[in-house]
Amino acid sequence: MSDMDNAPMAFALVCGAGAATGIGASVVFFPRLVMLTNERVLAGSLGIASGVMIYVSFVEILFKSLGAFEDAGYAEDAAFNLATLTFFAGVFVMLVLDAAVHRLSDADMVVEKHIHTDVEIPKGAPVSAEGTPPAHSEVMHCCPGTITNPAKDLKAWKAKAAEEMQNEELTTVAIRPSCDSEDGCPTPPEAEPETTEDGPVSALKSHSFAVVDDSERLRLERMGLKTALAIALHNFPEGLATFVATLSEPRVGAVLAVAIGIHNIPEGLCVALPIYYATGDRKKAFLWACLSGASEPIAAALGWWILADRFSDKIYATMFGLIAGMMVTICAKELLPTAHRYDKGDTVVTYSFIAGMAIMAISLVLFKV
């Protein structure tokens, strides 16, 4: 059965999956990467991750829960009933966590205003009280764990990234010397940093990509921090699942860690971008996104602590049943709905979901050869 000698490898895989959040968060340092973000690619990655997680939950993890209950001395029928019970207990636990996540997000589902984008307003478009068409003045924040309308959110972030890139290009042109003299150009005077009496945040607001209202800036920053907490709760069972799966079969755990890492990338982006556009602080945005992924190693450490001195077939079977239920619920309630919101025409989600199941199936077959 499980071998605690695999615990260091399991913990390393969980840390790697959690660190993938930082890959998504790194876009705050490279606005051009935000412009390259593609809705179909994000939808496909979520579909693949869901296929891997659902297949391994039913075919491998739940099956191991059943086997562990039998090894604990239960008859086949009783072991099946207990595995089923723990599975739906995991579903219930995840639904409770999901309710907590959305409760945190409810306050931020209010329309975010004053985050304007330079988009041409079509004639006849409805105009809000502030004189801005709702399609461009209302930006809803969402990601796996806080789902509303990710496609519109992504478009707003792309518009912000375009504004930032344009601002940087204009700044570069403004300080570039223009000189045709053969003797060389004089060294331009050192540019003075832009400051105001209110400090760096107010200076930031003079740029086109910054939030222009203090209350909206604070709300956007708070929204990003709440999203980080929501994703941390969402990631906790995934870290535990990867750890326990690797204890039993390291190669299965490795594939699962890759799948979880894939969908952690857009989650890092969801946390980092609103914080960055609220504060102008790239390092702060990156740090908070990375902290949201740190819940996975924390979950692994908890699993290590539970199993190290208290290992038994009953505990092992119960944890596997709970984890299977949690993983299926995460996919059914969060990942797949988000993928379909990125890909409303279902051009890639179903196929990528099937591909994810096929990848996991082939991996399991090859591992058993």
Side-chain angles (χ1 to χ4, degrees), residues 160-226:
K160 288 295 178 186
E163 291 176 16
E164 183 177 2
M165 290 167 58
Q166 183 180 22
N167 182 78
E168 291 176 352
E169 290 174 359
L170 291 174
T171 302
T172 301
V173 171
I175 66 174
R176 184 180 299 154
S178 177
C179 178
D180 297 327
S181 173
E182 296 181 359
D183 297 332
C185 298
T187 303
E190 183 177 354
E192 292 292 333
E194 182 180 4
T195 59
T196 69
E197 60 182 7
D198 295 326
V201 172
S202 295
L204 171 71
K205 291 188 292 185
S206 64
H207 296 293
S208 60
F209 59 86
V211 179
V212 298
D213 184 278
D214 273 337
S215 62
E216 296 303 322
R217 176 183 62 78
L218 292 174
R219 185 195 297 183
L220 187 59
E221 182 177 6
R222 185 170 60 250
M223 178 185 66
L225 298 180
K226 286 185 177 181

Side-chain angles (χ1 to χ4, degrees), residues 64-314:
K64 286 191 175 295
S65 175
L66 174 61
F69 276 121
E70 291 179 350
D71 291 340
Y74 291 96
E76 183 177 351
D77 290 345
F80 179 83
N81 292 337
L82 287 171
T84 302
L85 180 62
T86 55
F87 175 86
F88 282 102
V91 171
F92 176 76
V93 169
M94 199 60 234
L95 289 175
V96 171
L97 285 176
D98 185 73
V101 165
H102 285 278
R103 193 175 186 85
L104 286 172
S105 303
D106 279 345
D108 293 314
M109 290 302 166
V110 180
V111 171
E112 295 291 334
K113 300 177 182 179
H114 305 299
I115 309 178
H116 303 301
T117 56
D118 296 330
V119 182
E120 183 179 355
I121 302 174
K123 292 182 179 180
V127 179
S128 65
E130 289 80 12
T132 309
H136 304 304
S137 63
E138 300 179 359
V139 179
M140 304 291 281
H141 177 72
C142 49
C143 60
T146 52
I147 300 173
T148 306
N149 187 348
K152 185 165 69 173
D153 219 20
L154 183 60
K155 290 178 182 178
W157 288 336
K158 282 185 176 182
K160 288 295 178 186
E163 291 176 16
E164 183 177 2
M165 290 167 58
Q166 183 180 22
N167 182 78
E168 291 176 352
E169 290 174 359
L170 291 174
T171 302
T172 301
V173 171
I175 66 174
R176 184 180 299 154
S178 177
C179 178
D180 297 327
S181 173
E182 296 181 359
D183 297 332
C185 298
T187 303
E190 183 177 354
E192 292 292 333
E194 182 180 4
T195 59
T196 69
E197 60 182 7
D198 295 326
V201 172
S202 295
L204 171 71
K205 291 188 292 185
S206 64
H207 296 293
S208 60
F209 59 86
V211 179
V212 298
D213 184 278
D214 273 337
S215 62
E216 296 303 322
R217 176 183 62 78
L218 292 174
R219 185 195 297 183
L220 187 59
E221 182 177 6
R222 185 170 60 250
M223 178 185 66
L225 298 180
K226 286 185 177 181
T227 303
L229 178 58
I231 289 177
L233 292 174
H234 175 270
N235 285 346
F236 192 87
E238 295 175 356
L240 189 60
T242 304
F243 181 79
V244 176
T246 307
L247 289 181
S248 174
E249 179 52 69
R251 291 171 292 187
V252 173
V255 176
L256 183 59
V258 170
I260 291 174
I262 287 173
H263 83 256
N264 279 349
I265 293 175
E267 290 182 352
L269 182 146
C270 285
V271 174
L273 285 178
I275 294 177
Y276 169 56
Y277 287 129
T279 66
D281 191 332
R282 301 178 195 270
K283 292 181 180 179
K284 180 178 181 179
F286 181 78
L287 176 62
W288 274 106
C290 290
L291 287 176
S292 71
S295 64
E296 293 191 13
I298 292 173
L302 177 63
W304 199 339
W305 176 73
I306 291 174
L307 293 177
D309 299 323
R310 302 169 180 80
F311 180 80
S312 69
D313 288 330
K314 289 183 181 180

Side-chain angles (χ1 to χ4, degrees), residues 3 14 22 26-28 30 35 40 67 74 129-130 142 151 195 211 220 241 284 306 312 332 353 356 363:
D3 187 352
V14 174
S26 66
V27 298
V28 297
F30 309 101
M35 297 297 298
R40 294 179 67 187
Y74 291 96
E130 289 80 12
C142 49
T195 59
V211 179
L220 187 59
K284 180 178 181 179
I306 291 174
S312 69
F353 176 76
S363 300

